[in-house]
Amino acid sequence: MSTIKIVVWDKVGNVMWGVRPWDEWSLRSQADMLRENPAGRPLAPSFAELFQDYPVDLRPVATVEELEAEIGDADFLVVHKNNVPPAVLQKGTRLRLIQHLGWDARGIPLATAAAMGVPVAATPLVNYLAVAEHSWALILTLLKRMPAQRAYMDSREYLTRGWGHLPGVPMVRDLTLGLLGFGEIARPMARIAHAFGMRCLYWDIERFPQLEPDHHVEYVPWEEIFRQSDVLSVHLALNEKTERIVGRREFGLMKNSAFLINTARGKLVDP
């Protein structure tokens, strides 16, 4: 059996983290895993343990120059948060698959891969619920004025002012949520909004009429989502068309009382 060569280009380090031997994990990481699952040690085999019966050559690279030096005889390429130059990818004449860690194939020159006949895979639905939950945590913290509520309780002012809620704390069900983008993160956002009884709007470069009834959302034009939303949550991918897509003009359309939540990419909003 011939050796299978896997080249990994991952500036974040998540790929190699998952294949390091247990002894190379930090003591804190070991403790975290064992605290969550005392029997978890066998669930973290190293790459060598996983593929001990197979002739696999794993080659991590850190720069585009190192990638160019290794890709020529590689069978598989794993990429995470790096941009592969088309000219470098073309040198991977033996590639059977390009795996991108993330919900899309950003950083991979898809036209070049298609011309080479090399399939490109992604890992959709990774962390999407965590981002949606975090977005809702931010929304509720702002709408319910949680820091002020905490200060009110700590000061014990309620003993003299009564138990009534602080002024300016609305009922969520009376508000409208706007979603910029309607991908895998925005869709659970819409389902949660429906559970609160909110009206939910969305805008995307593509409309999804088949999803609107089940997610209880309405599609509105670009300007209207800024005008009508009490909370506007950004869930767009960052590319040359969306960079700085939200700017002074869009903020001028929003209600004075509205909030904007951006758990996508900072460069989507023009500072």
Side-chain angles (χ1 to χ4, degrees):
M1 183 183 298
S2 60
T3 299
I4 298 172
K5 182 176 179 179
I6 304 174
V7 175
V8 177
W9 192 20
D10 173 23
K11 70 179 180 182
V12 177
N14 290 356
V15 179
M16 296 308 299
W17 175 255
V19 298
R20 289 173 181 160
W22 173 263
D23 292 341
E24 293 183 14
W25 290 35
S26 69
L27 294 178
R28 178 178 177 180
S29 297
Q30 292 181 11
D32 287 344
M33 171 172 276
L34 294 177
R35 182 170 57 253
E36 293 180 8
N37 183 358
R41 168 63 185 92
L43 302 179
S46 68
F47 183 88
E49 291 171 320
L50 283 172
F51 292 92
Q52 59 183 340
D53 297 327
Y54 302 91
V56 177
D57 180 12
L58 181 68
R59 297 289 184 93
V61 298
T63 66
V64 68
E65 291 77 18
E66 292 180 6
L67 174 65
E68 187 172 9
E70 295 287 355
I71 199 172
D73 58 348
D75 297 285
F76 299 95
L77 173 62
V78 180
V79 181
H80 185 210
K81 296 188 181 297
N82 288 291
N83 294 314
V84 180
V88 173
L89 183 60
Q90 288 174 340
K91 295 185 177 182
T93 55
R94 283 181 43 182
L95 284 174
R96 299 190 232 170
L97 175 71
I98 302 168
Q99 174 69 61
H100 180 258
L101 294 189
W103 68 273
D104 59 9
R106 71 185 69 179
I108 308 298
L110 295 178
T112 302
M116 296 170 63
V118 180
V120 178
T123 51
L125 307 183
V126 175
N127 293 334
Y128 73 111
L129 284 177
V131 177
E133 289 180 0
H134 182 67
S135 300
W136 268 106
L138 296 174
I139 290 170
L140 292 175
T141 297
L142 288 170
L143 291 178
K144 294 301 183 180
R145 299 183 59 195
M146 296 309 296
Q149 296 269 26
R150 173 64 184 270
Y152 182 62
M153 294 299 293
D154 287 346
S155 69
R156 302 178 70 83
E157 288 186 54
Y158 61 87
L159 294 175
T160 55
R161 295 177 57 187
W163 288 93
H165 64 70
L166 292 177
V169 178
M171 294 294 291
V172 178
R173 69 185 180 193
D174 297 331
L175 304 179
T176 296
L177 174 68
L179 299 169
L180 278 186
F182 199 59
E184 60 187 15
I185 296 172
R187 293 169 193 176
M189 291 287 295
R191 291 195 292 270
I192 296 171
H194 178 66
F196 276 115
M198 298 178 76
R199 181 185 181 214
C200 188
L201 312 175
Y202 81 97
W203 175 91
D204 204 316
I205 56 174
E206 178 183 356
R207 185 173 179 177
F208 302 94
Q210 72 280 11
L211 298 177
E212 291 171 13
D214 288 343
H215 291 80
H216 307 278
V217 293
E218 306 170 42
Y219 179 86
V220 293
W222 175 256
E223 292 185 352
E224 284 305 308
I225 200 163
F226 289 92
R227 289 193 178 104
Q228 297 187 38
S229 298
D230 296 294
V231 178
L232 188 61
S233 191
V234 182
H235 302 285
L236 294 169
L238 178 64
N239 54 49
E240 63 277 2
K241 294 182 179 179
T242 60
E243 185 170 349
R244 298 175 181 264
I245 193 172
V246 179
R248 181 186 298 271
R249 178 176 175 274
E250 285 71 27
F251 282 114
L253 297 172
M254 296 177 69
K255 303 175 184 179
N256 291 334
S257 58
F259 293 108
L260 183 138
I261 303 290
N262 181 12
T263 52
R265 295 291 184 266
K267 289 185 178 180
L268 293 166
V269 179
D270 188 343

